[in-house]
Amino acid sequence: MAVNNPYQTYQNNSVSTASPGELTLMLYNGCLKFINLAKQAISKKEVEAKNTNILKAQKIIQELMVTLNTDVEVSQNMMALYDYMNRRLIEANIQNDISILEEVEGMCTEFRDTWKQVIQFNRQKQHATGGQA
């Protein structure tokens, strides 16, 4: 008999009930988390942990690339930036370079913060129009 983990249940419900915008925000936050863990692992000379966390960050960047709406012009710019971030993560992994991770972290933080503002703007717009946006 499996024991239910309340935290895991909460996480599963959070993901399954999140809007596409909130899911994108979760991806950015996850990427930042794994970059941070990779930086810590490099500092502690934990090669396996560094590799695992950078690979997880790369998977998230790849997911962001796959889910881009390529019909929108800004998406081509985003695709190029995501591709750059992915390549830089590979370099950081090979070179054990925290400064490269910090560069990617900065880009990801900017994207996340901008995305947060978009979500907030859309919510305000929805409330102003009585949920008709």
Side-chain angles (χ1 to χ4, degrees), residues 9-35:
T9 302
Y10 169 78
Q11 272 192 316
N12 290 341
N13 288 339
S14 294
V15 170
S16 63
T17 60
S19 70
E22 290 166 331
L23 287 172
T24 300
L25 190 61
M26 288 178 188
L27 287 172
Y28 285 132
N29 284 329
C31 188
L32 289 168
K33 172 185 146 186
F34 294 125
I35 289 171

Side-chain angles (χ1 to χ4, degrees), residues 4 8 11-13 34 39 46 50 56 60-61 63-66 68 74 84-85 87 94 100 106 115-116 124 128 133:
N4 288 334
Q8 187 64 44
Q11 272 192 316
N12 290 341
N13 288 339
F34 294 125
K39 286 176 11 184
E46 296 172 350
K50 174 223 37 164
K56 287 179 180 182
I60 290 172
I61 296 296
E63 182 64 23
L64 289 165
M65 292 170 86
V66 168
L68 267 178
V74 73
Y84 175 78
M85 292 167 70
R87 285 185 284 116
I94 292 168
I100 296 174
W115 196 251
K116 254 196 233 178
Q124 288 170 352

Side-chain angles (χ1 to χ4, degrees), residues 33-85:
K33 172 185 146 186
F34 294 125
I35 289 171
N36 211 359
L37 290 171
K39 286 176 11 184
Q40 292 173 25
I42 289 173
S43 295
K44 296 177 183 175
K45 300 193 183 327
E46 296 172 350
V47 177
E48 191 174 332
K50 174 223 37 164
N51 183 55
T52 298
N53 286 297
I54 289 177
L55 289 176
K56 287 179 180 182
Q58 281 182 260
K59 290 273 188 213
I60 290 172
I61 296 296
Q62 291 162 6
E63 182 64 23
L64 289 165
M65 292 170 86
V66 168
T67 59
L68 267 178
N69 177 357
T70 55
D71 297 337
V72 183
E73 188 177 331
V74 73
S75 294
Q76 280 128 27
N77 294 332
M78 290 300 296
M79 183 66 79
L81 291 169
Y82 288 152
D83 184 56
Y84 175 78
M85 292 167 70

